[in-house]
Amino acid sequence: MTTYYSEELIQSVIEANDVVDVASGYMTLKRVGNSYKGKCPFHNEKTASFTVSREKQLYHCFGCGAGGNVITFIMEMEKLPFVDALKFLAARVNMILPEKQNQQEDHQAYEKKKRLYELHREAANYYYKVLKTDRPAREYLLQRGISQETIREFGLGYASEDWSRLTDFLTTKGFTIAEMLDSGLVLASESKRHYDRFRDRIMFPIVNPRGQIVGFGGRLMTTGQNGPKYLNSPETPIFSKSYELYNLNHCKNFLDAGQILIVEGYMDVISLYEKGIRNTVAALGTAFTPFHGKILERYANDVIIAFDGDSAGKSATEKAMNILKKTSLNVKILNLPINEDPDSFVQKYGQQGFADFVAKALTIVEYELELLKSHNDLSQTDGRLRYGNEAIKILRQLETSVEIDYYSKMVAGETGINQEVIRREVMRSKTRQSANPSQLLEPTPSEVVPHKIPKAYKKAQELAIRFCLKTPEVIDEFPINHLTDPFYQDLFRTLSEKRKTGTRIEVNQIMSHFEDSEEVKKIVEFMMNEDEVSRSDYQDALEIMNRFYNEAQLDRLSEQIKRESTNGNDDEVARLTNQFIEIKKMMKENGRH
């Protein structure tokens, strides 16, 4: 799955993290024979069908098909990419993963990050304690409708007006000035005096998906104060606002519907959370990045952009929308009134009012058409014509004829232009775009095996693979060309390469060669299947595979003989006929025909 770390290092992380112990931290497992069973954490079920094997260091759900090793388990549970899941597990057992070529430099970088995480945790505790003793700050949050429970849940705090209270506190905790400067929480003046970055602000700890505090956001409580309304931590070795989404650490636990709302600010998130709307994240400022889009793809199927209704919010919405268009996510936009943001809206209309408004969220095309309408006067003929022509350009991005018909009808109703005219113009432009000959590909030639694989052939292949995984010595003589699935072929090439190098076959190492989660699940399914496959069963499977393979060859040769005969290629017909006869003869000798 990655070329960044060696197979040996990945294996060492896996071996240090027992899959039963890790899974037990997320669910209740009961020992049943040699395995452990529980209710699957990946789908709702009444009867436990999730099995974890300590011997094989694998898990498999016989209900939904989920399966893998300890790394894939953390990838699914924590919604992390492979490398981050590997780091998560390494940190769990205090292992250091190399990030530099020099081992000493790598250890120093690891220790530096570790100290920064500890420093931020201490700073968060400090801000939280200060909030408890500062009445105006507490009253401000209470006036904003934030309960003590939510304050505790988010670890909200307060940075006092003093210039160096945090600096002094961190000094008592053993942190050096150099470490404080690296964190960005302490700054140095021209005269080399040190002072706190955040003063007289409500503090919002920024927590990554692994539960580590990586930075802070600070908010002024009144408009008359000096400085920007919001101030974030600077870029540090552990924090980049382009890579973090506020509240993702909480939000990932409330995604039963597969939907995430994206808002602008910390208070938007917290106000919605307070009202029971907990599937919400915020970009840190309006700087939504392509990396944020990639993160959201890991966690959700649907996203709703719910930025402020003012002009800055509209501009940010357009930028985020254009980024999210390039993802696999289903994107909608909440078109808030000009003077509203999610915080003010939910305070005014409550949870149900906000939920009702979310239900009316616009698709990207609807939102773009609404923007287009706002720039054209549809009460005037020239405005309707201009809107119609520009709308056709928007509809060209649509993929299906159903969508084109739907939106063509919508534009027709707003402009008075005939729906068929709009549809024809959209399709004409799409036809021109797709008619470029350089983009057309020749069809691939037919394979030896038939397009429709008989069930008996599929079953024989799977049985043979299961035997080979558990009895590696038979791999060397296995007829790989009899396999019909490209995944099975790749699997056997990987197994063969391991055998040639004399390397012991470890299933976890084999799994690391495959990116597709469905392919990984299939390998796990083979390994977790307890039904015994004897050598006699294996030989029977090989005979079935050989028969179907030869029959497919005969069908292919018959088609080629007909084609060459029609073309008058007598020599080619003779050559193909000889091949046909040889295969028939071989099958007859084997007693199959």
Side-chain angles (χ1 to χ4, degrees), residues 15 90 205 303 362:
E15 289 172 356
V303 295
L362 305 174

Side-chain angles (χ1 to χ4, degrees), residues 438-479:
S438 65
Q439 296 176 340
L440 299 178
L441 299 174
E442 290 295 322
T444 57
S446 299
E447 300 292 336
V448 170
V449 295
H451 291 293
K452 187 174 181 181
I453 312 300
K455 286 183 180 179
Y457 195 177
K458 283 184 180 178
K459 187 176 179 181
Q461 291 179 73
E462 292 185 358
L463 191 146
I465 291 170
R466 282 171 48 206
F467 186 80
C468 289
L469 282 169
K470 295 175 182 180
T471 318
E473 58 268 22
V474 302
I475 291 170
D476 301 337
E477 299 176 0
F478 188 86

Side-chain angles (χ1 to χ4, degrees), residues 122-131 158 160 165-166 169:
E122 290 289 356
N125 288 335
Y126 162 77
Y127 289 135
Y128 181 74
K129 288 176 182 176
V130 173
L131 177 66
Y158 174 66
S160 67
R165 272 188 69 181
L166 177 67
F169 171 79

Side-chain angles (χ1 to χ4, degrees), residues 109-176:
Y110 173 84
E111 287 297 327
K112 183 176 181 178
K113 285 185 177 181
K114 184 179 176 183
R115 289 286 288 172
L116 282 175
Y117 287 129
E118 291 172 359
L119 186 152
H120 279 76
R121 181 172 53 81
E122 290 289 356
N125 288 335
Y126 162 77
Y127 289 135
Y128 181 74
K129 288 176 182 176
V130 173
L131 177 66
K132 283 185 173 181
T133 62
D134 192 280
R135 186 173 176 179
R138 291 200 317 276
E139 287 182 349
Y140 169 81
L141 290 172
L142 292 173
Q143 288 168 3
R144 295 293 299 264
I146 309 303
S147 67
Q148 184 59 45
E149 183 183 351
T150 299
I151 290 172
R152 186 169 54 253
E153 187 75 26
F154 282 84
L156 303 185
Y158 174 66
S160 67
E161 293 181 89
D162 304 273
W163 280 83
S164 61
R165 272 188 69 181
L166 177 67
T167 306
D168 296 340
F169 171 79
L170 291 174
T171 301
T172 67
K173 291 295 181 179
F175 294 99
T176 66

Side-chain angles (χ1 to χ4, degrees), residues 290 293-294 297 319-329 331 364:
K294 290 182 183 297
E297 278 187 299
K319 289 177 184 176
M321 180 180 73
N322 288 330
I323 288 170
L324 291 170
K325 272 182 185 179
K326 299 173 184 176
T327 69
S328 61
L329 293 161
V331 183
I364 286 179

